[in-house]
């Protein structure tokens, strides 16, 4: 694996050396300002922005294995525990498109630095939280910081690279994104069990502080400034309506079960289609009037973007739900410790990363069929997991789950990086910030929706039918989502640019 990473970055370094390091008009006194052309993102710069991509995704999942200890230390209770997860996901998803727009306007390097600094500060606040409500508030702020930082990553790659170098960078981004989501739970288990200086669960947040400081130092030196040549002002009505649509959907689905489905949850769900319709109308009207809406309908008219997003949603729902459910099932159902629960997922991380590195070569030969093949591998892995749980519970061990875990990770690694590449392939460079924000919003919303829906399904069934049956039913539900992904992948353009 290390050799594969070294070869990938070495090829990027050679490609970078072959390109002019500065765009016309750059000064020698600092990072150049690139108006969406040229190839100036060097190897250190790519590593730095990928670090910025990994941190928010790691922190979405890192809390899953720490929830029991957080509950014990802060007496949080089920509803507040779900808010610790959902508060981060909600603010993150709601503000992502706005973060992309602000990067287009004010400069992506500037927003990346601001987001990285804010992420470090809010992580410190999470780690020092004296009670559950303070932790929830800090997590909401941490999600907002992540929303400033993450859209700048893809937008910078899209704007400051081109040709084969961009394809390799996007493949590394996809590998980083998938690996970060799995590694989050592995790292969380290790840090909680290590109990560094008696910090317990707080270490999962405090570890971000030195990482953010290193990221800031690297970014100042190596990340170029890019911005749109025709930046558009903030679309306030669109921003408010998109935020309202996401909140009215995700908040009740996340909190409804733990809160006993009070009236506000049903009112919120009933409001979701109305607010969504209003958002679409407002965006279309702004587009007709020649203004730049938050999510331009003309951007969604791109076939690659639209069909790629259609795959990201079921993929993200299944992935987010699975990672939450497996953490609960391993710890509460099979009585594994935090470390063992995290290490059970190592085969998934290894297989995902290996598939991500092999993906670019396979894409050149087979095109989007790689996504379909990945879905088939994932189907087989999820089916093996369901069979292992059904036949061996409650004495199922890590070795029993290994074949299914590894095969599912392999399939996911063949899908996610390719889907990301397809979504971004036809987006004009001047709209890279908006396009990146739309894609990451869809991905993050799907992850949060997966936790809310599959997580609620699992926890509800676990209380009535038992943990084994609840896990099997949830895995079968995920299997249905993977089948949907496979069918949708057949509609992708065969050749990928």
């Amino acid at each position: 694996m290390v050799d594969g990473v070294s070869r990938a970055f070495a090829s990027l370094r050679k490609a970078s050396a072959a390109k002019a390091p500065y765009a016309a008009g750059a000064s020698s006194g600092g990072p150049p300002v690139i108006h969406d052309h040229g190839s100036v993102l060097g190897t250190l710069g790519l590593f730095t922005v990928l670090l910025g991509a990994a941190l928010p995704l790691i922190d979405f999942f890192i809390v899953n294995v720490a929830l029991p200890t957080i509950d014990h230390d802060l007496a949080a209770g089920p509803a507040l525990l779900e808010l610790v997860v959902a508060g981060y996901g909600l603010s993150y998803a709601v503000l992502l498109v706005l973060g992309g727009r602000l990067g287009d306007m004010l400069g992506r390097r500037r927003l990346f630095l601001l987001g990285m600094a804010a992420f470090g500060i809010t992580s410190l606040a999470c780690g020092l939280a004296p009670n559950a409500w303070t932790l929830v508030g800090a997590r909401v702020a941490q999600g907002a910081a992540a929303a400033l930082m993450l859209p700048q990553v893809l937008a910078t790659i899209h704007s400051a690279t081109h040709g084969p170098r961009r394809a390799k960078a996007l493949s590394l981004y996809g590998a980083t994104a998938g690996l970060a989501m799995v590694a989050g739970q592995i790292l969380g288990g290790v840090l909680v069990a290590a109990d560094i200086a008696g910090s317990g669960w707080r270490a999962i947040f405090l570890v971000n502080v030195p990482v953010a400081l290193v990221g800031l130092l690297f970014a100042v030196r190596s990340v170029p400034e890019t911005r749109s040549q025709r930046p558009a002002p903030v679309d306030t009505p669109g921003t408010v309506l998109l935020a309202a649509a996401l909140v009215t959907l995700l908040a009740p689905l996340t909190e409804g079960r733990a809160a006993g489905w009070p009236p506000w949850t049903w009112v919120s769900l009933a409001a979701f289609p109305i607010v969504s319709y209003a958002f679409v109308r407002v965006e279309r009207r702004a587009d007709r009037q020649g203004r730049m809406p938050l999510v331009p309908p003309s951007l969604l008219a791109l076939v690659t973007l639209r069909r790629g997003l259609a795959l990201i949603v079921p993929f993200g729902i299944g992935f987010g739900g699975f990672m939450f459910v497996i953490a609960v099932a391993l710890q509460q159902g099979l009585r594994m410790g935090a470390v063992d629960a995290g290490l059970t997922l190592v085969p998934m991380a290894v297989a995902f990363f290996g598939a991500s590195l092999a993906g670019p070569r396979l894409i050149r030969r087979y095109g989007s069929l790689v996504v379909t093949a990945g879905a088939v591998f994932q189907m087989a892995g999820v089916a093996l997991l369901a069979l292992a749980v059904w036949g061996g519970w409650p004495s199922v061990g890590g070795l029993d789950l290994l074949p299914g875990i590894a095969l599912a990770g392999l399939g996911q690694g063949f899908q996610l990086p390719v889907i990301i590449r397809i979504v971004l392939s036809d987006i004009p460079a001047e709209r890279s910030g908006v396009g990146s924000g739309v894609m990451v919003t869809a991905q993050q919303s799907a992850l949060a929706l997966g936790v809310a829906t599959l997580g609620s399904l699992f926890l509800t069934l676990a209380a009535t039918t038992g943990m084994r049956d609840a896990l099997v039913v949830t895995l079968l539900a995920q299997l249905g989502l993977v089948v949907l992904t496979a069918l949708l992948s057949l509609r992708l353009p065969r050749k990928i640019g």
Side-chain angles (χ1 to χ4, degrees):
M1 186 192 306
V2 173
D3 290 340
V5 176
S6 300
R7 287 195 298 271
F9 273 103
S11 63
L12 283 166
R13 191 180 296 111
K14 291 177 183 177
S16 180
K19 305 293 181 183
Y22 297 103
S27 67
S28 59
V33 177
I34 307 301
H35 293 289
D36 292 338
H37 62 276
S39 177
V40 297
L41 187 65
T43 303
L44 181 60
L46 178 60
F47 171 81
T48 304
V49 295
L50 291 180
L51 178 65
L55 282 175
L57 291 168
I58 286 174
D59 268 61
F60 183 83
F61 292 97
I62 200 169
V63 299
N64 284 348
V65 293
L67 290 176
T69 55
I70 293 174
D71 187 23
H72 178 269
D73 287 358
L74 301 183
L80 281 181
L81 282 178
E82 292 197 14
L83 274 178
V84 170
V85 178
Y88 177 86
L90 270 174
S91 63
Y92 184 20
V94 162
L95 297 173
L96 275 166
V97 178
L98 178 61
R101 172 64 60 86
L102 290 175
D104 285 351
M105 291 174 55
L106 304 176
R108 292 158 191 145
R109 176 177 178 269
R110 179 181 300 176
L111 265 292
F112 182 83
L113 289 169
L114 178 61
M116 180 73 79
F119 194 83
I121 293 170
T122 54
S123 295
L124 180 63
C126 290
L128 299 179
N131 55 60
W133 277 112
T134 304
L135 178 59
V136 169
R139 284 284 283 172
V140 170
Q142 190 188 34
L148 287 180
M149 179 170 57
L150 188 58
Q152 318 316 324
V153 175
L154 278 172
T156 298
I157 291 173
H158 197 70
S159 301
T161 62
H162 63 272
R165 180 171 171 76
R166 179 185 295 171
K168 291 173 183 175
L170 288 175
S171 294
L172 285 172
Y173 173 87
T176 301
L179 189 62
M181 290 187 277
V182 180
Q185 291 191 192
I186 299 172
L187 180 62
V190 171
L191 288 174
V192 170
D195 193 22
I196 302 168
S199 58
W201 59 268
R202 298 179 188 276
I204 68 175
F205 300 115
L206 295 176
V207 72
N208 292 332
V209 178
V211 175
L213 287 173
V214 171
L216 283 171
L217 292 174
F218 285 174
V220 167
R221 294 185 56 189
S222 63
V223 176
E225 181 65 281
T226 66
R227 60 172 59 92
S228 175
Q229 290 177 294
R230 295 185 294 275
V234 172
D235 174 16
T236 302
T239 301
V240 172
L241 286 171
L242 177 62
L246 290 173
V247 169
T248 54
L249 174 65
L250 295 176
L253 289 178
T254 303
E255 282 297 297
R257 185 200 61 83
W261 296 105
W264 71 264
T265 59
W266 301 108
V267 172
S268 182
L269 287 172
F272 168 69
I274 300 171
V275 177
S276 299
Y277 177 73
F279 171 70
V280 172
R281 288 290 301 271
V282 166
E283 297 298 274
R284 285 179 175 172
R285 184 174 61 196
D287 210 23
R288 286 196 304 268
Q289 293 174 350
R291 295 182 283 114
M292 179 66 79
L294 185 70
V295 181
S298 56
L299 200 62
L300 295 176
L302 296 172
V303 173
T304 51
L305 177 70
R306 191 171 63 250
R307 293 184 180 177
L309 289 178
L311 266 76
I312 280 181
V313 172
F315 180 91
I317 291 173
F319 196 104
F322 172 80
M323 296 302 287
F324 175 79
V325 166
I326 200 69
V328 176
L330 292 178
Q331 291 186 90
Q332 296 184 13
L334 297 178
R335 303 300 178 187
M336 289 187 182
V339 172
D340 289 338
L343 292 179
T344 300
L345 298 175
V346 167
M348 175 177 283
V350 173
F352 187 106
F353 197 61
S356 299
L357 293 179
R361 293 193 298 274
L362 296 173
I363 291 168
R364 287 194 292 270
R365 184 169 182 180
Y366 300 107
S368 62
L369 286 177
V370 174
V371 179
T372 308
V376 173
F377 281 124
Q378 190 182 0
M379 279 186 239
V382 174
L384 284 176
L385 283 172
L387 289 173
V389 170
W390 179 261
W393 194 275
S395 57
V396 181
L399 289 177
D400 301 309
L401 299 175
L402 190 150
I405 289 280
L407 203 53
L410 186 71
Q412 290 162 347
F414 282 133
Q415 292 175 80
L416 184 59
V418 183
I419 296 171
I420 290 173
R421 187 167 160 184
I422 289 170
V423 169
L424 298 175
S425 60
D426 293 333
I427 296 175
E430 66 272 11
R431 290 189 173 186
S432 59
V434 176
S436 301
V438 169
M439 192 210 71
V440 180
T441 297
Q443 181 188 29
Q444 184 60 38
S445 300
L447 290 173
L449 191 58
V451 174
T453 53
L454 294 183
S456 293
L457 172 66
F458 171 75
L459 293 173
T460 300
L461 290 176
T464 55
T465 65
M467 194 76 73
R468 184 198 71 166
D469 292 353
L471 182 54
V472 170
V473 171
T474 306
L475 287 171
L476 292 178
Q478 187 195 5
L479 186 61
L481 290 168
V482 181
V483 171
L484 177 60
T485 303
L487 294 175
L488 290 173
S489 71
L490 299 175
R491 301 182 67 244
L492 292 172
R494 182 64 56 86
K495 188 175 180 181
I496 302 173

